[in-house]
Amino acid sequence: MLKRTRYGGELREAEIGSTVILNGWVNTYRDQGKGLFFLDLRDRSGLVQVVFDLEGAAPELVERARGLRREDVIGVRGVVRARVAGANPKLETGTIEVAASELEIFSKSAPPPILPDDHEAEKIQEEKRLRYRYIDLRRPSMQKILRTRFEVTRAARTYFAENGFLEIETPFLIRSTPEGARDFVVPSRLYPGSWYALPQSPQLFKQILMVAGCDRYVQIVRCFRDEDPRADRQAEFSQIDLEMSFVEREDVMAMMGGFAKRIWKTILGYEIGEIPRMSYADAMERYGIDRPDLRFGLELRDVSALAKKTGFGVFEQALAKPRGVVKAIVVPGGAEKLTRKQTDAYAEFVKGFGAGGLPTVKYGAEGFTTGIAKFLEPIQAELVRELALQPGDQVFFGADTWKVVTKALGELRNKLGADLGLTKTGEWKFLWVVDFPMFERDEEHQRWVALHHPFTAPLPGEESKLESDPENCLSAGYDLVVNGSEIAGGSIRIHRQDVQQKVFELIGLTAEQARSKFGFLLDALQYGAPPHGGIAFGLDRLVMWLCGTNNIRDVIAFPKTQTGQDLMTEAPSSIDLEQMEELHVRNTVPTQP
RNA sequence: GGGGGCGUAGCUCAAUUGGUUAGAGUACCGGACUGUCGAUCCGGUGGUUGCGGGUUCGAGCCCCGUCGCCCUCGCCA
């Protein structure tokens, strides 16, 4: 066997004159006739041109070479030499080529259904790429993503090892716990009628590792949530998960900030600098979202006080609602940049988030024009001052309950940022969001739900509000946001059994329910639990940002479709009747004929 | 569960809006070619128009159902 001595894509002019053996796939071939045959050999490192010619090779060799086709797998021995007829600037190896003297064909390829060319791949239906994933992954850009993902996890292990963390595995077959996302479940063979669940995260296990004295835990771990996927999430995903003992939130944030800095430095050579902070309340008021994209302004401004003076029906009705507000977004230069068609489309857009419409005005030399200009006459001067309007600006208003306005304008703000080209690649705006409320009111079920999760501790000094004022009790949670995307989230945990009981009670779990579902945690907290806290990084989303893709399937070697299928293996599938009987389950779906 | 988009040759697309035998590029096969590089030139194979019904003299195109993929709202403690 011709065994590789070098990766072809790494060869450069310095190697001219040396003999190498390359292994790889035929990317393309160019048959020049009887005696001259070129091919581009692809391996993990990239492409290099291999030439078979009469001067240097036996005719028999040339004949065999001429039979090569795309995606055949070969070994080649040859001498590295300078290109005779000029370089190919498109290849990193474009100034050299390998003059082949020996060829071994390891495997012929059937005509490939798709070709692993980066310039083709954009056009190929993703369905085909997923079906033939083993071909698609041969593409240089996919190889680069796989490598980047590995560099991230390697840097993570190095960083956390340097900081005294232990990587400890937690089980995949666990007890199903309520709340949160829908569980994937696995039937038990040995306990008829009983089920395991796959973990949505190792949350409880890592807390128990702290009780167990492990002090600092990290794990790069798969998590499972049986919810409908999106472009940036799927049922099965990975976290860099960690937990620390004897810490306050400052300690965890410092550790994670250091990790983010390490990653951006290692992978992109980028210096993050100090990561600013913002309270959840601020984020919601000014950006309408708990993960603001700070790459652009367009902040939401509360103009309720002024709106009250207009007598405009839409504003009045909104302000009459419980917690009704009127907020504004100023688009600098929007009067000219935004067409009527666009602003109409934005009105439709915000309706999708429950807003009744999108009142708007343009500001110019003659004051307010278009839209609701006439209604704003009484407050024009004050509004111009309040919003620091410049001629040419356009103002959009949201008028409804705080919740609807916040959501609608927050989403509109992000859309405007994208549409107006306010986000540049290579720009990184990090932000810690802190001081979340412990609870959110679920009006439909008339109860409190934990905003983060029910193991999150109140901020020091806020504990008493659990009794007196749960709505305004702040938590010791923290989210790390980059460019409007939440890439990590965590909190200081409750380490006292009585506090944990109280929180369970507030979210509507009776003592009995809490005991039956989380008894092991409550027990553990009784027997010497250190103060502890942690955080989890979404590995997939992290790699997406680092690789510049907005498709989570690009950063997972074998991803699932939006309906949870693996198109390559065709999972999920039906199972044999015997398998089902062994597992004590029965199929209630009529079988296909 | 709701909304939107897509589905024609292995792949990427077209088919003058219901009209002859569904075309092109590419891949593949055969031939030519000694410096190509997304090689080129000549010729060729290749189709259950996702699937199932329906309307019609006639359906890739219209209608109904169904399957699959993507985006999205809900959902994702």
Side-chain angles (χ1 to χ4, degrees):
Chain A
M1 176 183 173
L2 283 178
K3 279 191 193 166
R4 177 180 57 227
T5 60
R6 292 296 307 270
Y7 282 113
E10 292 171 355
L11 295 175
R12 295 293 183 273
E13 285 171 74
E15 278 90 352
I16 286 173
S18 62
T19 297
V20 296
I21 301 176
L22 307 177
N23 292 162
W25 285 257
V26 176
N27 189 61
T28 51
Y29 62 93
R30 295 174 290 279
D31 188 348
Q32 294 301 121
K34 291 185 178 62
L36 186 65
F37 184 91
F38 297 96
L39 65 85
D40 292 338
L41 185 77
R42 175 180 4 90
D43 61 26
R44 206 179 69 187
S45 66
L47 298 175
V48 66
Q49 173 164 285
V50 175
V51 57
F52 296 84
D53 69 37
L54 266 187
E55 263 83 29
E60 174 276 335
L61 173 61
V62 175
E63 278 315 300
R64 253 181 340 119
R66 293 186 73 199
L68 290 173
R69 290 298 176 265
R70 288 182 166 218
E71 301 311 311
D72 287 346
V73 186
I74 61 174
V76 164
R77 188 199 304 274
V79 178
V80 181
R81 70 184 190 194
R83 293 281 186 102
V84 175
N88 179 356
K90 289 180 193 164
L91 295 184
E92 286 189 75
T93 58
T95 58
I96 54 106
E97 64 187 5
V98 173
S101 57
E102 213 176 316
L103 167 68
E104 183 171 353
I105 300 172
F106 296 124
S107 149
K108 294 288 289 179
S109 171
I114 64 172
L115 290 170
D117 289 353
D118 276 330
H119 62 269
E120 297 280 341
E122 296 303 313
K123 295 189 289 183
I124 298 175
Q125 281 177 41
E126 196 179 9
E127 215 174 326
K128 312 285 184 195
R129 291 176 42 205
L130 295 175
R131 165 78 180 80
Y132 301 101
R133 194 62 165 173
Y134 37 83
I135 299 176
D136 192 47
L137 288 178
R138 290 176 194 161
R139 286 163 46 209
S141 63
M142 295 305 282
Q143 291 286 323
K144 181 157 188 283
I145 290 172
L146 293 176
R147 170 166 293 271
T148 299
R149 191 174 175 121
F150 166 69
E151 298 294 353
V152 170
T153 55
R154 181 165 74 166
R157 289 198 164 95
T158 304
Y159 178 83
F160 289 113
E162 286 168 9
N163 285 284
F165 285 76
L166 297 184
E167 184 161 11
I168 303 171
E169 290 167 281
T170 53
F172 275 2
L173 297 175
I174 66 172
R175 184 194 173 90
S176 178
T177 50
E179 312 267 334
R182 197 177 292 117
D183 278 331
F184 280 100
V185 294
V186 179
S188 163
R189 175 176 57 87
L190 297 174
Y191 293 89
S194 287
W195 300 73
Y196 299 100
L198 302 179
Q200 296 177 26
S201 85
Q203 182 61 35
L204 297 174
F205 287 97
K206 69 176 177 176
Q207 287 189 241
I208 284 172
L209 284 171
M210 295 301 99
V211 180
C214 293
D215 196 65
R216 289 184 174 193
Y217 142 95
V218 69
Q219 185 180 197
I220 297 170
V221 63
R222 196 69 54 83
C223 303
F224 306 88
R225 293 177 191 175
D226 189 5
E227 298 292 347
D228 288 354
R230 283 290 183 281
D232 65 348
R233 70 176 206 235
Q234 67 157 30
E236 187 182 353
F237 63 99
S238 297
Q239 287 187 343
I240 301 172
D241 187 53
L242 64 102
E243 197 77 7
M244 304 165 75
S245 290
F246 305 107
V247 290
E248 298 174 297
R249 84 175 174 183
E250 295 304 320
D251 303 303
V252 181
M253 290 166 72
M255 183 64 69
M256 278 320 267
F259 174 61
K261 282 174 197 173
R262 171 75 64 89
I263 290 295
W264 258 257
K265 179 76 183 157
T266 305
I267 308 296
L268 300 175
Y270 182 87
E271 295 287 352
I272 289 178
E274 207 50 43
I275 300 176
R277 293 181 188 195
M278 187 181 295
S279 71
Y280 171 84
D282 244 21
M284 295 304 285
E285 287 297 336
R286 293 165 57 195
Y287 300 95
I289 196 163
D290 60 359
R291 46 187 160 86
D293 189 339
L294 297 187
R295 288 176 295 179
F296 53 92
L298 304 180
E299 289 187 27
L300 279 55
R301 305 287 299 272
D302 194 315
V303 293
S304 302
L306 286 176
K308 200 174 289 176
K309 302 184 196 168
T310 59
F312 178 35
V314 172
F315 286 177
E316 284 193 333
Q317 284 156 29
L319 291 168
K321 293 184 182 183
R323 237 195 141 178
V325 293
V326 177
K327 288 198 165 204
I329 291 183
V330 179
V331 181
E336 221 166 87
K337 279 186 233 167
L338 297 171
T339 63
R340 175 65 195 262
K341 195 176 166 187
Q342 269 175 300
T343 56
D344 284 351
Y346 291 143
E348 283 308 308
F349 178 77
V350 296
K351 282 180 192 170
F353 300 100
L358 187 65
T360 184
V361 287
K362 295 177 178 183
Y363 177 64
E366 318 84 59
F368 289 143
T369 54
T370 75
I372 60 166
K374 66 174 177 179
F375 299 107
L376 299 186
E377 287 297 336
I379 59 162
Q380 176 161 319
E382 286 172 282
L383 196 59
V384 168
R385 200 177 328 118
E386 174 79 20
L387 298 177
L389 293 180
Q390 300 294 316
D393 290 353
Q394 181 151 7
V395 188
F396 292 109
F397 295 91
D400 209 302
T401 60
W402 180 88
K403 198 169 178 179
V404 167
V405 170
T406 298
K407 174 77 176 166
L409 292 191
E411 296 286 347
L412 176 66
R413 176 179 174 273
N414 277 343
K415 189 167 176 58
L416 285 166
D419 290 356
L420 297 171
L422 302 179
T423 60
K424 297 187 287 284
T425 48
E427 188 181 17
W428 303 105
K429 291 290 187 186
F430 285 81
L431 176 71
W432 280 111
V433 178
V434 295
D435 297 347
F436 291 86
M438 286 284 289
F439 307 103
E440 216 175 16
R441 191 69 185 162
D442 178 356
E443 294 302 340
E444 193 184 335
H445 298 100
Q446 287 295 304
R447 57 168 190 174
W448 296 107
V449 290
L451 190 74
H452 194 56
H453 58 53
F455 317 108
T456 300
L459 264 185
E462 297 273 309
E463 295 93 339
S464 63
K465 290 187 187 166
L466 287 179
E467 292 283 357
S468 61
D469 187 11
E471 181 169 16
N472 291 308
C473 183
L474 296 180
S475 83
Y478 31 78
D479 281 358
L480 183 58
V481 173
V482 61
N483 294 358
S485 170
E486 182 199 324
I487 56 169
S491 64
I492 298 300
R493 325 298 182 187
I494 297 167
H495 69 282
R496 274 173 40 196
Q497 206 235 18
D498 57 331
V499 179
Q500 187 65 72
Q501 287 275 25
K502 180 69 205 164
V503 170
F504 282 152
E505 200 179 298
L506 275 166
I507 62 171
L509 282 184
T510 64
E512 293 72 41
Q513 286 171 323
R515 175 130 294 276
S516 85
K517 286 161 179 166
F518 300 110
F520 59 102
L521 176 70
L522 293 172
D523 284 347
L525 293 182
Q526 247 181 332
Y527 297 114
H532 62 284
I535 193 165
F537 244 94
L539 176 61
D540 309 282
R541 233 173 259 178
L542 189 60
V543 177
M544 283 168 68
W545 277 110
L546 295 170
C547 292
T549 175
N550 48 23
N551 180 349
I552 193 172
R553 294 175 297 278
D554 281 347
V555 300
I556 296 174
F558 301 104
K560 293 190 168 47
T561 67
Q562 194 157 126
T563 45
Q565 282 195 76
D566 177 338
L567 294 178
M568 187 180 73
T569 64
E570 296 183 300
S573 64
S574 58
I575 58 173
D576 293 340
L577 207 56
E578 299 88 273
Q579 258 179 307
M580 284 194 269
E581 279 168 2
E582 208 168 42
L583 295 169
H584 324 286
V585 296
R586 193 185 307 142
N587 190 0
T588 61
V589 179
T591 43
Q592 296 294 318

